[in-house]
């Protein structure tokens, strides 16, 4: 039996009852666990725009108190008239840049936005409720420690494309922080989770909704990771130049680049030269930084990038190489993990052929939409100089749309899918599949065509095939989920046919999805659960939490818990138990469409 997809961090804090009333939260934690850590005297804070103040001192996941950045740098402690040990020599003063001199004298500004233009952090996010986002105050009265545990537990990708899309929407919504949680820390948790999903562009947009002067160390870290993930190195400079300097090699390189783009070439050269000579960073990282800083117009030396001694990639060197147009050796790319494919798929500095392999992965995970995939291959088709597999696929995609013979269009779609029928290619062909008219002689491909359409949510187009698919086939099973509303049900005989023809794994997913949507009788659920060796009634801390969130009618918390329950690198991490509770909770909180698409995806990918 496959393992439950819960991290130990989240499991620790999910083990009680959920707040069943939005305006009266219940305590979810074991006795004694909810006692706050002693709160030290806070530092004076800069005046900010009016906003809702948290009811308690904000704390990090480890219980540490999170303090906002001070309003201004404190000058060095005053020395006595006879104590000159801390002062620079005349030669050192002459070599200091303007910024370095300001920092030495305590004159470095701690904000870059006039007071009248500063934004409140009462609600942070980029998707408003009117644009499809979650209710803005849906987490405001939920226990802060529960929300923190759930967000901290989301550390990587989820197995479901539709689950990824739902989780991204929840994390990027304009939300108020839970009572007792600092809103900046709340934003940092969400940005870090988005980075873990490979949604670097969404994370960057989220951190940009907070004024830079409000950044905490946690939000600064999440922001820099987002900027590096999108190869937007200079975008990180406001956070770097306003934050306290750090004794880290990469930070020094980034600070040097930012100085160059701020017009302080002298300081940039000094910082980058020190980092290279000190051995704090690897030579390749320092050379890439010098090349990038030189593009600001202050550099006067040619920098040669040599990869021969480089043993592996890092997000930093991958981002700089992409931004510079420096080709990364194929050997390093072959050994790189999925992080680099997600980043490459969203990096416009790369060429179309360089992005296509990564794009298939990103589409299957939910990072890229079907329209974005079509746009990418359209660009490749328009470039006459492009050759190879990418050009062939682009040409076949055009045939899938414009070939006069429907059979030729279907043949082109099959070629794009390939022998293994990769799910990312299903995303690519969704709209081409929707343009095909249902025909009896296409019935053998109906299941795959319907699965392709449903990757883009084209349920109405998929339902046109209901007169072509056979009862008990995969196409029949997918159409059970494509149909919205009530009154849809599966018969006992058709389910048995599906089980005999498609095996137990697909049957488990079909049963869990149908049971979650109440589209199969309770007696049949009990009968087939026994024969398939599953127990949909089994309870865990996670099932209790998501069921409680559903009873409370809280879609945001349900979406976050669903994402937590679907974490994993491959579909075989999904279990029928998790699918059942996710589908049922989503349907109960007004997200039936998402529930149906996740259930259909489970059948198609199992």
């Amino acid at each position: 039996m496959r393992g439950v997809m819960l991290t130990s961090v989240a499991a620790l804090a999910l083990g009680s009852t959920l707040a069943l009333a939005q305006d009266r939260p219940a305590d979810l934690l074991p006795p004694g666990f909810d006692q706050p850590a002693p709160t030290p005297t806070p530092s004076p804070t800069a005046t900010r725009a009016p906003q809702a103040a948290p009811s308690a001192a904000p704390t990090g996941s480890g219980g540490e108190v999170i303090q906002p950045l001070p309003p201004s740098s404190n000058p060095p402690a005053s020395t006595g008239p006879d104590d000159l040990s801390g002062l620079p020599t005349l030669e050192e003063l002459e070599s200091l840049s303007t910024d370095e001199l300001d920092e030495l004298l305590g004159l470095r500004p701690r904000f870059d936005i006039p007071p009248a233009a500063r934004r409140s952090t009462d609600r942070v996010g980029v998707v408003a409720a009117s644009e499809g986002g979650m209710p803005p105050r849906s987490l405001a009265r939920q226990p802060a420690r529960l929300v923190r545990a759930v967000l901290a537990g989301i550390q990587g990708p989820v197995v479901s494309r539709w689950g990824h899309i739902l989780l991204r929407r929840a994390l990027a919504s304009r939300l108020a922080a839970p009572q007792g949680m600092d809103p900046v820390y709340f934003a940092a948790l969400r940005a870090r989770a988005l980075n873990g999903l490979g949604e670097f562009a969404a994370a960057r947009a989220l951190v940009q909704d907070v004024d830079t002067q409000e950044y905490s160390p946690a939000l600064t870290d999440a922001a820099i990771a987002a900027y590096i993930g999108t190869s937007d190195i200079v975008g990180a400079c406001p956070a770097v130049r306003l934050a306290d300097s750090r004794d880290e090699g990469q930070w020094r390189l980034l600070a040097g680049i930012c100085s160059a783009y701020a017009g302080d070439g002298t300081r940039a050269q000094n910082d980058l030269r020190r980092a290279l000579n000190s051995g704090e960073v690897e030579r390749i990282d320092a050379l890439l930084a010098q090349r990038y800083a030189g593009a600001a117009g202050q550099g006067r030396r040619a920098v040669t990038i040599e990869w021969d001694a480089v043993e592996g990639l890092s997000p930093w060197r991958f981002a700089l190489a992409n931004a510079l147009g420096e080709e990364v050796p194929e050997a390093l790319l072959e050994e790189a993990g999925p992080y680099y494919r997600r980043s490459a798929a969203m990096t416009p500095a790369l060429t179309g052929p360089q992005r296509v392999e990564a794009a298939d992965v990103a589409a299957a995970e939910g990072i890229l939409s079907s329209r974005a995939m079509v746009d990418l291959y359209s660009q490749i088709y328009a470039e006459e100089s492009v050759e190879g597999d990418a050009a062939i696929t682009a040409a076949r995609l055009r045939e899938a749309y414009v070939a006069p013979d429907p059979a030729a269009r279907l043949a082109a779609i099959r070629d794009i899918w390939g022998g293994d029928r990769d799910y990312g290619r299903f995303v690519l062909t969704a709209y081409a599949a929707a343009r095909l008219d249902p025909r009896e002689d296409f019935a053998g491909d109906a299941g795959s065509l319907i699965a392709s359409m449903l990757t883009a949510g084209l349920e109405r187009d998929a339902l046109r095939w209901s007169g072509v698919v056979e009862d008990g086939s995969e196409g029949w099973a997918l159409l059970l989920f494509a149909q919205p509303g009530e009154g849809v049900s599966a018969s006992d005989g058709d389910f048995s046919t599906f089980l005999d023809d498609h095996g137990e794994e697909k049957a488990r997913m079909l049963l869990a999805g149908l049971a979650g949507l109440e589209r199969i009788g309770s007696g049949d659920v009990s009968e087939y659960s026994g024969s398939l060796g599953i127990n949909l009634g089994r309870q865990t801390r996670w099932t209790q939490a998501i069921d409680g969130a559903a009873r409370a009618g809280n879609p945001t918390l349900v979406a976050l818990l669903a994402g937590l329950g679907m974490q994993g690198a491959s579909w075989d991490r999904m279990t029928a138990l998790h699918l059942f509770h996710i589908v049922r909770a989503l349907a109960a909180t007004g997200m039936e469409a998402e529930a149906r698409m996740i259930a259909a995806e489970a059948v198609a990918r199992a």
Side-chain angles (χ1 to χ4, degrees):
M1 192 69 177
R2 288 161 297 183
V4 176
M5 295 177 294
L6 294 177
T7 62
S8 58
V9 174
L12 178 65
L14 294 182
S16 248
T17 34
L18 195 71
L20 300 181
Q22 293 301 302
D23 54 355
R24 189 178 179 185
D27 189 353
L28 296 156
L29 302 166
F33 192 77
D34 59 346
Q35 297 300 319
T39 305
T41 302
S43 304
T45 58
T47 303
R48 64 172 73 171
Q51 57 183 290
S55 60
T59 59
S61 58
E64 74 279 9
V65 175
I66 301 172
Q67 300 290 354
L69 294 174
S72 61
S73 296
N74 294 324
S78 175
T79 56
D82 299 326
D83 183 7
L84 302 179
S85 59
L87 296 178
T89 64
L90 181 60
E91 291 78 7
E92 290 172 336
L93 280 174
E94 291 177 344
S95 66
L96 291 178
S97 67
T98 302
D99 282 350
E100 289 173 322
L101 188 59
D102 286 345
E103 187 170 347
L104 176 67
L105 299 177
L107 301 177
R108 185 180 180 187
R110 301 300 292 175
F111 58 87
D112 59 351
I113 299 176
R118 297 175 195 173
R119 293 170 293 182
S120 169
T121 56
D122 180 58
R123 296 179 185 179
V124 175
V126 293
V127 185
S130 59
E131 300 169 325
M134 296 295 177
R137 301 198 64 80
S138 52
L139 296 179
R141 293 187 177 275
Q142 289 299 321
R145 293 201 176 203
L146 171 65
V147 176
R148 178 165 52 243
V150 174
L151 290 174
I154 301 173
Q155 299 181 358
V158 297
V159 298
S160 166
R161 166 180 166 79
W162 279 104
H164 175 108
I165 294 170
L166 173 65
L167 183 57
R168 175 181 61 203
R169 177 157 60 95
L171 291 170
S173 293
R174 289 190 63 81
L175 298 174
Q179 211 170 41
M181 181 183 290
D182 178 67
V184 174
Y185 182 64
F186 182 51
L189 287 174
R190 290 190 285 153
R192 188 197 58 80
L194 285 167
N195 285 330
L197 293 174
E199 289 287 353
F200 306 111
R204 180 179 62 180
L206 179 66
V207 300
Q208 287 174 342
D209 198 46
V210 179
D211 291 342
T212 310
Q213 71 196 45
E214 305 284 358
Y215 277 24
S216 66
L219 187 58
T220 300
D221 289 342
I224 291 175
Y227 285 112
I228 290 176
T230 53
S231 298
D232 183 9
I233 308 300
V234 177
C237 288
V240 172
R241 293 179 67 80
L242 290 181
D244 294 326
S245 60
R246 302 181 185 181
D247 191 19
E248 301 170 7
Q250 181 177 302
W251 183 272
R252 292 179 184 273
L253 294 179
L254 193 52
I257 288 174
C258 293
S259 295
Y261 281 85
D264 193 348
T266 301
R267 180 174 186 178
Q269 291 178 12
N270 290 340
D271 287 347
L272 296 176
R273 185 165 49 249
R274 288 193 204 103
L276 177 61
N277 295 334
S278 67
E280 295 177 325
V281 297
E282 293 192 33
R283 181 175 179 80
I284 183 65
D285 296 331
L287 292 177
L288 286 168
Q290 285 183 342
R291 169 83 71 82
Y292 195 92
Q298 302 297 326
R300 293 294 182 269
R301 295 188 304 118
V303 179
T304 302
I305 306 299
E306 297 179 352
W307 295 92
D308 294 343
V310 179
E311 297 181 353
L313 281 179
S314 69
W316 168 259
R317 61 188 60 153
F318 186 68
L320 279 177
N322 289 337
L324 290 167
E326 179 72 26
E327 186 174 355
V328 179
E330 192 65 30
L332 293 179
L333 291 174
E334 289 176 355
E335 298 177 359
Y339 167 92
Y340 301 97
R341 292 195 291 273
R342 299 184 189 107
S343 178
M346 299 296 292
T347 302
L350 298 178
T351 65
Q354 289 174 319
R355 293 177 60 194
V356 289
E357 183 178 353
D360 287 341
V361 175
E365 291 185 351
I367 297 173
L368 288 180
S369 68
S370 180
R371 291 182 183 274
M373 290 286 284
V374 172
D375 287 346
L376 174 60
Y377 277 94
S378 297
Q379 295 170 18
I380 293 172
Y381 182 82
E383 297 180 18
E384 297 180 358
S385 60
V386 177
E387 299 178 351
D389 293 341
I392 294 173
T393 301
R396 296 302 282 159
L397 182 62
R398 184 176 186 275
E399 288 294 307
Y401 275 94
V402 303
D405 181 11
R409 299 208 302 270
L410 177 58
I413 291 173
R414 285 202 205 101
D415 287 347
I416 293 171
W417 289 342
D420 57 355
R421 302 208 166 187
D422 180 80
Y423 199 72
R425 294 301 179 91
F426 275 19
V427 178
L428 174 60
T429 60
Y431 287 92
R435 290 168 58 87
L436 286 174
D437 291 326
R439 289 172 35 170
E440 291 291 342
D441 53 336
F442 293 169
D445 291 292
S448 295
L449 290 170
I450 292 170
S452 179
M453 286 181 258
L454 294 183
T455 63
L458 304 176
E459 54 191 21
R460 292 184 179 179
D461 297 283
L463 287 169
R464 296 189 299 129
W465 291 76
S466 58
V468 175
V469 300
E470 296 182 359
D471 291 343
S473 66
E474 182 170 326
W476 162 85
L478 296 177
L479 291 182
L480 286 173
F481 298 123
Q483 180 68 52
E486 300 178 356
V488 183
S489 62
S491 69
D492 178 31
D494 292 338
F495 188 91
S496 295
T497 301
F498 181 87
L499 172 59
D500 294 338
D501 293 346
H502 298 283
E504 292 187 351
E505 190 56 37
K506 281 186 178 290
R508 290 189 186 100
M509 296 301 169
L510 177 58
L511 180 64
L514 292 173
L517 292 168
E518 297 182 350
R519 295 188 172 185
I520 190 171
S522 57
D524 292 335
V525 173
S526 178
E527 176 187 349
Y528 285 112
S529 294
S531 62
L532 292 172
I534 57 176
N535 179 12
L536 300 181
R538 185 167 65 88
Q539 291 292 317
T540 66
R541 291 181 176 180
W542 174 83
T543 63
Q544 291 170 355
I546 196 169
D547 290 349
R551 287 193 300 271
N554 193 315
T556 309
L557 195 52
V558 165
L560 295 177
L561 286 164
L564 181 65
M566 287 189 285
Q567 284 197 106
S570 61
W571 190 261
D572 59 8
R573 299 293 297 170
M574 174 64 84
T575 69
L577 177 68
H578 281 75
L579 180 64
F580 166 70
H581 284 277
I582 288 168
V583 169
R584 186 172 68 171
L586 291 174
T589 50
M591 295 183 285
E592 189 207 37
E594 290 84 350
R596 291 187 290 105
M597 292 301 101
I598 290 174
E601 180 186 358
V603 173
R605 300 185 72 172

